[in-house]
């Protein structure tokens, strides 16, 4: 019998992949929220000028 004394490779990260469709939706919604935030900031900054 041959014993396996070699150190085992550490287990890689668990499979936490998300679907391509979900990833694209995440990017789209993040862009929408950032755009709305920037528009809101621009409105608030420009409100002081009136």
């Amino acid at each position: 019998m041959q014993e396996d004394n070699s150190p085992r490779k550490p287990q890689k990260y668990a499979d936490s992949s998300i679907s391509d469709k979900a990833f694209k939706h995440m990017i789209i919604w993040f862009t929408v929220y950032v755009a709305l935030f920037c528009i809101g900031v621009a409105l608030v900054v420009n409100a002081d000028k009136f």
Side-chain angles (χ1 to χ4, degrees):
M1 272 206 217
Q2 182 179 7
E3 291 185 29
D4 187 17
N5 289 333
S6 63
R8 293 185 175 195
K9 292 181 181 178
Q11 186 177 7
K12 295 197 173 191
Y13 295 112
D15 185 19
S16 62
S17 61
I18 60 175
S19 69
D20 191 45
K21 183 178 177 182
F23 183 71
K24 288 178 182 176
H25 283 172
M26 182 180 67
I27 292 174
I28 291 169
W29 281 111
F30 177 75
T31 305
V32 169
Y33 286 130
V34 169
L36 288 174
F37 177 78
C38 291
I39 290 170
V41 168
L43 289 175
V44 169
V45 169
N46 286 327
D48 282 341
K49 296 180 182 178
F50 291 119

